[in-house]
Amino acid sequence: MDNLDYPALGFKCGLEIHRRLKTKKLFCNCETETEETPKSEIKRKLRAVAGELGEIDPAALHELGRGKEFVYKIYPKSSCLVEMDEEPPHSANSDALGISLLVSKMFSAKIPDEVLFMRKTVIDGSNTSGFQRTAIVGLDGKFSTSQGFIGITNISLEEESCQILETRDGETVFGLNRLGIPLVEIGTAPDIKSPAHAKETAEKIGMLLKSTGKVMRGIGTIRQDVNVSIKDGARTEIKGAQDLKMIPELVRQEVLRQLGLLKIKKELENRGFKREEIKIIDATSVFKNTASNILRGKEIYAAKIEKVSGLFKEKLNDFRTLGNEIAGYARAKVKVKGIIHSDEDLAKYGIEKEFDELRKILGAKDADLVAIVAADKNMAENALNAVINRVNALLDGIPKETRRALQNGDSEFMRPLPGAARMYPETDVAPVEIPRAIIQKINLPETLDKKLARLEKEIGKELASQIMASDYLDIFEEISGKYNVDKRDVAAFFTNTLPNLKVRENIDADKINENVFMEIFALLQKGRIQKDKIPHIILQNYRTGKSVSEIIAAAPKISGKEIEDVVKAVIAREKTDKINVIIGEAMKELKGKASGKEIAEAVKKVLGK
Ligand SMILES: [Zn+2]
């Protein structure tokens, strides 16, 4: 139950949505949808260059604190010298540019006279060049939702970064196959009214993008970031909401977290808390003979923080306490396992006695909190200093930060929010002029309202709303437009059969090539296969990699007479005349060699009905 009054809280929320386009790479001719394995690798150490404007922003500084080497895996079909940053980028892919302009027009955005690519500094290694290329293709658009218009501040065409394949000590391994895939980025104004409205907004943007028929589908092809703030709070960017369903919970928990932090700020002021510096002591000897297995024999450092006792166990939202939040912040800076503090249940660790002793050594009063870290001196000092820095910052209210969405609807600290001084012009890519005549010629797809009304007529209300929300909307339209098959069968396949196979047979349906679906429905149209054989064919194709025609050719032929024999045997064995039971048993016996329809006919014949 949500009992928060969002307007009264000064709730502000906007979305940033990234979606991959179904084209080749943005700045070279490499493939974007392959199942290749890497064939070689290169190793790089990224130079810590400041942006050409001179200033290193806080996000960049945060990454610099963690010296790293980068390994890039090379994929023959989906990476070339451009991805390796050994050849300048080619001119922007015209298909991708065209799709991004179409999207801009759909959102009634103002398209610039010239598309100019910029460099956005990225020093986490996910771009070999040290920056991401991005260009604005639309500004100041809007679209309607049930709660009024949502403004679109910007639509951009940009390149995807590398994905992390592995992190090991001081080294991150990236894949070059993903680098350079075109993305369209849509940023909304903070016009969203509530958590549920955030979901509706994301869903509608998704449908509009899908209705172009030119965006990729599946996990990873879409990224949804949510920006949230409340009155006296600050903008937090929550990254990586994979599932639409999670968006309302993410937003709500973030509002609660900001409210919780504001409450703690007030409490600190009431307690007369002033910014502190801490004195860190070596507490190894105190824990020398401790009963705690996780601490015994470890190097341990401790500090007291005055006047904050009790606050670390305050709940910020449904999932995290202030202690969790601060530990997460320290962990993002220093890779320490555990920070234990006096607001925790010390009996659980069996270290009450040790903490009593520590209090004496540190001269800690009841109102003071004591924290320990088990790590070497340098790491422990960094971790405890991160803790006190975060505690001191509580006086400022909510820090502007980027957080990572968690599965349960909560989020955790990633890094400070990047500053604005990150962009400078990409001189290797020529600007693209966009004549007004070209924009006028762009044909808009059918509007969502019209599409829904048409589909409701064609396949009924329920299937229509399901297929509209489905990732397979575009391929459904393509198949049902191209082949003379029952559209309801096609819709039911994508909204029911395929999701069921995903769950029951544990297959990754995103990996099935669209041509497989096309081929299956082409054969269905010709009467070469029966509807109920489709799951079997999909599974065979998925598991063996055999083509649809190979699978059908390999299917053992069976005569009507043979089917009848099986049916007779089943009736004799089961001693029943219940048609459903007989069909069910016969199907098991025939293992897909005959369709349900053929078996049903045989049963009727045998039973003389
Ligand atoms: Zn390439």
Side-chain angles (χ1 to χ4, degrees), residues 567 570-587 599-600 603-604 606-607 609:
V567 167
V570 166
I571 293 172
R573 192 182 70 214
E574 301 291 322
K575 299 187 178 53
T576 178
D577 58 358
K578 289 203 183 85
I579 292 179
N580 287 343
V581 176
I582 301 168
I583 293 177
E585 288 300 313
M587 279 188 105
I599 296 171
V603 173
K604 278 183 199 158
V606 171
L607 292 177
K609 286 185 181 173

Side-chain angles (χ1 to χ4, degrees), residues 25 28-30 78-83:
K25 295 261 178 111
C28 60
N29 210 30
C30 287
S78 47
S79 53
C80 66
L81 291 172
V82 173
E83 283 88 344

Side-chain angles (χ1 to χ4, degrees), residues 226-495:
V226 192
N227 287 299
V228 179
S229 71
I230 56 171
K231 196 175 64 195
D232 301 325
R235 184 162 77 87
T236 300
E237 179 187 53
I238 306 171
K239 278 200 164 316
Q242 277 290 346
D243 194 344
L244 271 177
K245 281 185 239 115
M246 283 316 294
I247 289 179
E249 187 65 4
L250 275 174
V251 173
R252 194 177 102 87
Q253 293 302 331
E254 177 54 21
V255 169
L256 289 173
R257 190 187 70 93
Q258 295 199 13
L259 285 170
L261 285 171
L262 290 175
K263 213 174 102 193
I264 281 170
K265 178 190 176 199
K266 218 168 187 180
E267 174 63 19
L268 284 173
E269 287 164 355
N270 288 341
R271 291 184 183 192
F273 174 86
K274 295 267 158 20
R275 271 163 230 276
E276 293 175 16
E277 276 184 33
I278 46 168
K279 210 180 108 207
I280 297 165
I281 63 158
D282 184 342
T284 307
S285 62
V286 177
F287 290 87
K288 202 171 154 201
N289 297 311
T290 181
S292 162
N293 289 331
I294 50 169
L295 296 175
R296 198 182 316 122
K298 295 271 164 63
E299 211 178 329
I300 291 171
Y301 294 84
K304 73 168 171 184
I305 305 175
E306 287 175 13
K307 296 184 181 169
V308 302
S309 180
L311 292 183
F312 274 40
K313 61 184 166 199
E314 282 291 313
K315 284 203 119 185
L316 294 182
N317 63 18
D318 293 346
F319 299 103
R320 62 181 47 229
T321 60
L322 179 64
N324 301 145
E325 178 72 4
I326 288 179
Y329 181 81
R331 264 200 313 274
K333 308 223 160 225
V334 194
K335 289 264 173 276
V336 288
K337 287 248 173 55
I339 297 168
I340 300 174
H341 55 78
S342 53
D343 275 357
E344 289 182 80
D345 179 8
L346 297 173
K348 193 178 77 189
Y349 300 103
I351 50 174
E352 292 158 292
K353 211 174 74 242
E354 289 83 350
F355 262 69
D356 285 343
E357 199 184 329
L358 267 184
R359 281 194 172 276
K360 276 184 211 137
I361 298 171
L362 288 162
K365 302 193 185 83
D366 284 351
D368 302 341
L369 180 120
V370 172
I372 63 166
V373 173
D376 66 45
K377 187 159 188 266
N378 187 32
M379 268 174 90
E381 281 180 354
N382 285 339
L384 286 166
N385 280 320
V387 168
I388 189 62
N389 287 341
R390 183 65 190 87
V391 170
N392 285 335
L394 288 168
L395 286 178
D396 303 329
I398 321 287
K400 287 184 181 173
E401 63 193 31
T402 302
R403 300 178 67 83
R404 182 184 297 109
L406 301 175
Q407 292 289 332
N408 59 6
D410 193 14
S411 64
E412 65 183 7
F413 173 82
M414 264 175 92
R415 55 173 184 254
L417 204 63
R422 294 202 306 168
M423 302 257 244
Y424 47 104
E426 167 56 273
T427 42
D428 288 337
V429 179
V432 186
E433 244 183 86
I434 311 292
R436 299 298 97 178
I438 283 194
I439 301 169
Q440 270 163 21
K441 273 194 213 142
I442 297 173
N443 288 322
L444 293 178
E446 182 182 33
T447 65
L448 294 182
D449 292 342
K450 278 192 187 149
K451 193 190 277 288
L452 182 63
R454 171 174 60 80
L455 288 176
E456 282 180 353
K457 243 183 258 163
E458 289 174 355
I459 58 177
K461 258 197 153 129
E462 204 186 326
L463 272 178
S465 70
Q466 284 174 8
I467 198 72
M468 284 287 285
S470 158
D471 243 5
Y472 293 96
L473 176 62
D474 55 346
I475 180 90
F476 158 78
E477 293 264 52
E478 196 173 341
I479 288 173
S480 52
K482 193 163 175 185
Y483 302 114
N484 184 20
V485 288
D486 190 333
K487 290 185 181 188
R488 281 167 303 188
D489 288 344
V490 186
F493 171 76
F494 285 115
T495 58

